[in-house]
Short mmCIF file of all heavy atoms in Angstrom, two decimals:
data_model
loop_
_atom_site.label_atom_id
_atom_site.label_comp_id
_atom_site.label_asym_id
_atom_site.label_seq_id
_atom_site.Cartn_x
_atom_site.Cartn_y
_atom_site.Cartn_z
N GLY A 86 59.83 -4.44 47.61
CA GLY A 86 60.38 -5.22 48.70
C GLY A 86 59.93 -4.72 50.04
O GLY A 86 59.54 -3.56 50.19
N ALA A 87 59.96 -5.58 50.99
CA ALA A 87 59.71 -5.21 52.38
C ALA A 87 60.96 -5.52 53.16
O ALA A 87 61.60 -6.54 52.95
CB ALA A 87 58.53 -6.00 52.93
N ARG A 88 61.32 -4.63 54.05
CA ARG A 88 62.56 -4.88 54.79
C ARG A 88 62.45 -4.31 56.19
O ARG A 88 61.63 -3.46 56.49
CB ARG A 88 63.74 -4.23 54.06
CG ARG A 88 63.55 -2.77 53.88
CD ARG A 88 64.66 -2.11 53.10
NE ARG A 88 64.20 -0.81 52.70
CZ ARG A 88 63.90 0.15 53.56
NH1 ARG A 88 64.08 -0.03 54.82
NH2 ARG A 88 63.43 1.31 53.14
N SER A 89 63.34 -4.80 57.03
CA SER A 89 63.41 -4.31 58.40
C SER A 89 64.44 -3.20 58.46
O SER A 89 65.04 -2.84 57.44
CB SER A 89 63.81 -5.44 59.35
OG SER A 89 65.15 -5.81 59.07
N THR A 90 64.68 -2.69 59.64
CA THR A 90 65.71 -1.65 59.78
C THR A 90 66.96 -2.21 60.43
O THR A 90 67.66 -1.52 61.14
CB THR A 90 65.20 -0.48 60.62
OG1 THR A 90 64.71 -1.01 61.85
CG2 THR A 90 64.12 0.29 59.91
N SER A 91 67.22 -3.45 60.21
CA SER A 91 68.41 -4.04 60.82
C SER A 91 69.67 -3.43 60.23
O SER A 91 69.64 -2.75 59.22
CB SER A 91 68.43 -5.54 60.58
OG SER A 91 68.74 -5.80 59.24
N ALA A 92 70.77 -3.72 60.88
CA ALA A 92 72.04 -3.16 60.41
C ALA A 92 72.33 -3.60 58.99
O ALA A 92 72.99 -2.89 58.23
CB ALA A 92 73.16 -3.61 61.33
N ALA A 93 71.84 -4.75 58.64
CA ALA A 93 72.09 -5.24 57.29
C ALA A 93 71.04 -4.72 56.31
O ALA A 93 71.12 -4.98 55.12
CB ALA A 93 72.07 -6.76 57.28
N GLY A 94 70.06 -3.97 56.82
CA GLY A 94 69.00 -3.49 55.95
C GLY A 94 68.28 -4.64 55.28
O GLY A 94 67.98 -4.61 54.10
N ALA A 95 68.02 -5.67 56.04
CA ALA A 95 67.57 -6.93 55.47
C ALA A 95 66.30 -6.79 54.65
O ALA A 95 65.31 -6.24 55.11
CB ALA A 95 67.35 -7.94 56.59
N SER A 96 66.35 -7.26 53.43
CA SER A 96 65.14 -7.39 52.63
C SER A 96 64.62 -8.79 52.85
O SER A 96 65.30 -9.77 52.55
CB SER A 96 65.45 -7.18 51.15
OG SER A 96 65.78 -5.84 50.91
N PHE A 97 63.44 -8.90 53.40
CA PHE A 97 62.97 -10.24 53.68
C PHE A 97 61.80 -10.65 52.81
O PHE A 97 61.25 -11.72 52.96
CB PHE A 97 62.64 -10.44 55.15
CG PHE A 97 61.92 -9.29 55.81
CD1 PHE A 97 60.66 -8.91 55.42
CD2 PHE A 97 62.53 -8.61 56.85
CE1 PHE A 97 60.00 -7.89 56.04
CE2 PHE A 97 61.88 -7.58 57.49
CZ PHE A 97 60.61 -7.21 57.09
N ALA A 98 61.38 -9.85 51.89
CA ALA A 98 60.39 -10.29 50.92
C ALA A 98 60.50 -9.40 49.69
O ALA A 98 60.68 -8.20 49.81
CB ALA A 98 58.99 -10.19 51.50
N LYS A 99 60.43 -10.01 48.54
CA LYS A 99 60.49 -9.23 47.30
C LYS A 99 59.58 -9.86 46.27
O LYS A 99 59.47 -11.07 46.19
CB LYS A 99 61.91 -9.22 46.73
CG LYS A 99 62.87 -8.26 47.36
CD LYS A 99 64.19 -8.29 46.62
CE LYS A 99 65.18 -7.32 47.25
NZ LYS A 99 66.50 -7.41 46.58
N THR A 100 58.97 -9.03 45.47
CA THR A 100 58.31 -9.54 44.29
C THR A 100 58.74 -8.67 43.11
O THR A 100 58.96 -7.46 43.27
CB THR A 100 56.77 -9.51 44.40
OG1 THR A 100 56.35 -8.17 44.61
CG2 THR A 100 56.29 -10.39 45.53
N THR A 101 58.88 -9.27 41.99
CA THR A 101 59.35 -8.54 40.81
C THR A 101 58.44 -8.81 39.62
O THR A 101 58.00 -9.93 39.40
CB THR A 101 60.79 -8.99 40.45
OG1 THR A 101 61.65 -8.65 41.53
CG2 THR A 101 61.28 -8.28 39.19
N ALA A 102 58.14 -7.77 38.88
CA ALA A 102 57.36 -7.90 37.66
C ALA A 102 58.26 -7.61 36.47
O ALA A 102 59.01 -6.62 36.49
CB ALA A 102 56.18 -6.94 37.67
N LEU A 103 58.20 -8.44 35.47
CA LEU A 103 59.03 -8.27 34.28
C LEU A 103 58.18 -7.84 33.10
O LEU A 103 57.05 -8.29 32.95
CB LEU A 103 59.76 -9.58 33.94
CG LEU A 103 60.70 -10.12 35.01
CD1 LEU A 103 61.30 -11.44 34.55
CD2 LEU A 103 61.80 -9.12 35.31
N TYR A 104 58.74 -6.98 32.27
CA TYR A 104 58.03 -6.54 31.08
C TYR A 104 58.03 -7.64 30.03
O TYR A 104 59.08 -8.21 29.72
CB TYR A 104 58.68 -5.28 30.51
CG TYR A 104 57.96 -4.77 29.28
CD1 TYR A 104 56.72 -4.16 29.40
CD2 TYR A 104 58.52 -4.93 28.02
CE1 TYR A 104 56.05 -3.72 28.28
CE2 TYR A 104 57.85 -4.47 26.89
CZ TYR A 104 56.62 -3.87 27.03
OH TYR A 104 55.95 -3.43 25.93
N ALA A 105 56.87 -7.94 29.52
CA ALA A 105 56.76 -8.94 28.46
C ALA A 105 56.81 -8.20 27.13
O ALA A 105 55.82 -7.58 26.72
CB ALA A 105 55.47 -9.73 28.59
N GLY A 106 57.94 -8.20 26.49
CA GLY A 106 58.16 -7.41 25.29
C GLY A 106 57.09 -7.58 24.23
O GLY A 106 56.70 -8.69 23.90
N GLY A 107 56.58 -6.46 23.72
CA GLY A 107 55.60 -6.50 22.64
C GLY A 107 54.16 -6.63 23.09
O GLY A 107 53.25 -6.26 22.38
N SER A 108 53.96 -7.13 24.27
CA SER A 108 52.58 -7.34 24.71
C SER A 108 52.03 -6.15 25.48
O SER A 108 50.85 -6.08 25.76
CB SER A 108 52.50 -8.59 25.60
OG SER A 108 53.19 -8.35 26.81
N GLY A 109 52.91 -5.23 25.80
CA GLY A 109 52.45 -4.05 26.54
C GLY A 109 52.01 -4.36 27.95
O GLY A 109 51.21 -3.66 28.53
N SER A 110 52.52 -5.43 28.48
CA SER A 110 52.11 -5.79 29.83
C SER A 110 53.30 -6.31 30.63
O SER A 110 54.36 -6.59 30.07
CB SER A 110 51.01 -6.85 29.79
OG SER A 110 51.53 -8.04 29.22
N PHE A 111 53.07 -6.40 31.89
CA PHE A 111 54.11 -6.93 32.76
C PHE A 111 53.63 -8.25 33.37
O PHE A 111 52.44 -8.45 33.60
CB PHE A 111 54.40 -5.95 33.91
CG PHE A 111 55.21 -4.77 33.48
CD1 PHE A 111 54.61 -3.70 32.83
CD2 PHE A 111 56.57 -4.72 33.74
CE1 PHE A 111 55.35 -2.60 32.45
CE2 PHE A 111 57.32 -3.62 33.35
CZ PHE A 111 56.71 -2.55 32.70
N THR A 112 54.54 -9.12 33.56
CA THR A 112 54.22 -10.39 34.21
C THR A 112 54.96 -10.47 35.53
O THR A 112 56.17 -10.22 35.59
CB THR A 112 54.65 -11.58 33.33
OG1 THR A 112 53.99 -11.46 32.07
CG2 THR A 112 54.28 -12.90 33.98
N MET A 113 54.25 -10.81 36.55
CA MET A 113 54.90 -10.87 37.84
C MET A 113 55.64 -12.18 38.03
O MET A 113 55.13 -13.24 37.76
CB MET A 113 53.89 -10.70 38.96
CG MET A 113 54.56 -10.36 40.27
SD MET A 113 53.44 -10.37 41.66
CE MET A 113 53.34 -12.11 41.98
N VAL A 114 56.84 -12.06 38.46
CA VAL A 114 57.60 -13.24 38.87
C VAL A 114 58.06 -12.96 40.29
O VAL A 114 57.98 -11.83 40.77
CB VAL A 114 58.83 -13.48 37.97
CG1 VAL A 114 58.39 -13.76 36.55
CG2 VAL A 114 59.78 -12.30 38.02
N SER A 115 58.52 -13.94 40.94
CA SER A 115 58.97 -13.71 42.30
C SER A 115 60.48 -13.85 42.39
O SER A 115 61.08 -14.60 41.63
CB SER A 115 58.33 -14.71 43.26
OG SER A 115 58.81 -16.00 42.97
N THR A 116 61.05 -13.09 43.25
CA THR A 116 62.45 -13.29 43.58
C THR A 116 62.53 -13.38 45.08
O THR A 116 62.18 -12.44 45.77
CB THR A 116 63.32 -12.12 43.09
OG1 THR A 116 62.82 -10.94 43.67
CG2 THR A 116 63.30 -12.01 41.58
N GLY A 117 62.94 -14.47 45.56
CA GLY A 117 62.98 -14.63 47.00
C GLY A 117 61.62 -15.00 47.55
O GLY A 117 60.74 -15.45 46.82
N SER A 118 61.46 -14.76 48.79
CA SER A 118 60.25 -15.22 49.47
C SER A 118 59.13 -14.20 49.37
O SER A 118 59.35 -13.01 49.36
CB SER A 118 60.58 -15.46 50.94
OG SER A 118 59.40 -15.75 51.65
N PHE A 119 57.93 -14.71 49.30
CA PHE A 119 56.76 -13.85 49.37
C PHE A 119 56.39 -13.56 50.82
O PHE A 119 55.60 -12.69 51.10
CB PHE A 119 55.55 -14.53 48.72
CG PHE A 119 55.56 -14.48 47.23
CD1 PHE A 119 56.35 -15.34 46.50
CD2 PHE A 119 54.77 -13.57 46.56
CE1 PHE A 119 56.35 -15.31 45.13
CE2 PHE A 119 54.77 -13.53 45.17
CZ PHE A 119 55.56 -14.39 44.46
N LEU A 120 56.91 -14.37 51.68
CA LEU A 120 56.46 -14.27 53.06
C LEU A 120 57.10 -13.11 53.80
O LEU A 120 58.30 -12.88 53.70
CB LEU A 120 56.75 -15.58 53.80
CG LEU A 120 56.05 -16.81 53.21
CD1 LEU A 120 56.43 -18.05 54.01
CD2 LEU A 120 54.54 -16.61 53.21
N ILE A 121 56.30 -12.41 54.51
CA ILE A 121 56.80 -11.31 55.33
C ILE A 121 56.69 -11.77 56.78
O ILE A 121 55.60 -12.02 57.28
CB ILE A 121 55.94 -10.06 55.14
CG1 ILE A 121 55.92 -9.65 53.67
CG2 ILE A 121 56.47 -8.91 56.01
CD1 ILE A 121 54.91 -8.56 53.36
N PRO A 122 57.78 -11.91 57.46
CA PRO A 122 57.71 -12.40 58.83
C PRO A 122 57.09 -11.36 59.76
O PRO A 122 56.96 -10.20 59.42
CB PRO A 122 59.17 -12.66 59.19
CG PRO A 122 59.94 -11.76 58.30
CD PRO A 122 59.15 -11.66 57.04
N ALA A 123 56.71 -11.81 60.92
CA ALA A 123 56.09 -10.91 61.89
C ALA A 123 57.04 -9.79 62.27
O ALA A 123 58.23 -10.01 62.45
CB ALA A 123 55.69 -11.70 63.13
N GLY A 124 56.49 -8.61 62.38
CA GLY A 124 57.31 -7.48 62.82
C GLY A 124 57.13 -6.24 61.98
O GLY A 124 56.33 -6.19 61.04
N THR A 125 57.88 -5.21 62.32
CA THR A 125 57.83 -3.93 61.63
C THR A 125 58.56 -4.03 60.29
O THR A 125 59.61 -4.65 60.20
CB THR A 125 58.51 -2.85 62.48
OG1 THR A 125 57.90 -2.84 63.78
CG2 THR A 125 58.39 -1.48 61.84
N PHE A 126 57.99 -3.42 59.27
CA PHE A 126 58.69 -3.40 57.99
C PHE A 126 58.40 -2.11 57.24
O PHE A 126 57.45 -1.39 57.52
CB PHE A 126 58.32 -4.62 57.13
CG PHE A 126 56.90 -4.64 56.66
CD1 PHE A 126 56.54 -4.14 55.42
CD2 PHE A 126 55.90 -5.19 57.45
CE1 PHE A 126 55.23 -4.18 54.97
CE2 PHE A 126 54.57 -5.23 57.03
CZ PHE A 126 54.24 -4.72 55.78
N TYR A 127 59.26 -1.85 56.28
CA TYR A 127 59.16 -0.67 55.41
C TYR A 127 59.20 -1.16 53.96
O TYR A 127 59.76 -2.21 53.68
CB TYR A 127 60.34 0.28 55.65
CG TYR A 127 60.41 0.87 57.03
CD1 TYR A 127 60.85 0.12 58.11
CD2 TYR A 127 60.05 2.19 57.25
CE1 TYR A 127 60.92 0.67 59.39
CE2 TYR A 127 60.12 2.75 58.53
CZ TYR A 127 60.56 1.98 59.58
OH TYR A 127 60.62 2.52 60.84
N LEU A 128 58.65 -0.36 53.07
CA LEU A 128 58.63 -0.76 51.66
C LEU A 128 59.73 -0.06 50.87
O LEU A 128 60.12 1.06 51.17
CB LEU A 128 57.29 -0.42 51.02
CG LEU A 128 56.07 -1.20 51.53
CD1 LEU A 128 54.81 -0.69 50.86
CD2 LEU A 128 56.24 -2.69 51.28
N THR A 129 60.18 -0.76 49.87
CA THR A 129 61.15 -0.22 48.92
C THR A 129 60.68 -0.57 47.52
O THR A 129 60.20 -1.67 47.30
CB THR A 129 62.54 -0.84 49.14
OG1 THR A 129 62.95 -0.60 50.47
CG2 THR A 129 63.56 -0.24 48.19
N THR A 130 60.79 0.35 46.59
CA THR A 130 60.47 0.03 45.20
C THR A 130 61.66 0.37 44.32
O THR A 130 62.30 1.40 44.51
CB THR A 130 59.23 0.80 44.70
OG1 THR A 130 59.42 2.20 44.94
CG2 THR A 130 57.98 0.35 45.41
N SER A 131 61.92 -0.51 43.38
CA SER A 131 63.07 -0.31 42.49
C SER A 131 62.69 -0.60 41.06
O SER A 131 62.01 -1.60 40.78
CB SER A 131 64.22 -1.25 42.88
OG SER A 131 64.67 -1.00 44.17
N LEU A 132 63.12 0.27 40.18
CA LEU A 132 62.95 0.01 38.75
C LEU A 132 64.27 -0.51 38.19
O LEU A 132 65.34 -0.02 38.56
CB LEU A 132 62.57 1.29 38.00
CG LEU A 132 61.15 1.82 38.22
CD1 LEU A 132 60.97 3.13 37.47
CD2 LEU A 132 60.13 0.80 37.75
N GLY A 133 64.16 -1.46 37.30
CA GLY A 133 65.36 -1.99 36.68
C GLY A 133 65.91 -1.04 35.63
O GLY A 133 65.25 -0.06 35.26
N PRO A 134 67.11 -1.32 35.14
CA PRO A 134 67.74 -0.45 34.14
C PRO A 134 66.88 -0.31 32.89
O PRO A 134 66.34 -1.29 32.39
CB PRO A 134 69.05 -1.17 33.83
CG PRO A 134 69.29 -2.04 35.01
CD PRO A 134 67.95 -2.44 35.52
N ALA A 135 66.78 0.90 32.39
CA ALA A 135 65.98 1.15 31.20
C ALA A 135 66.71 0.66 29.95
O ALA A 135 67.92 0.72 29.87
CB ALA A 135 65.68 2.63 31.06
#
Side-chain angles (χ1 to χ4, degrees):
Chain A
R88 58 183 165 64
S89 68
T90 53
S91 73
S96 290
F97 41 64
K99 280 185 180 177
T100 59
T101 297
L103 299 178
Y104 181 73
S108 68
S110 65
F111 284 80
T112 302
M113 197 188 79
V114 297
S115 67
T116 57
S118 173
F119 282 79
L120 298 179
I121 303 170
T125 305
F126 67 95
Y127 297 76
L128 293 177
T129 302
T130 53
S131 298
L132 288 177

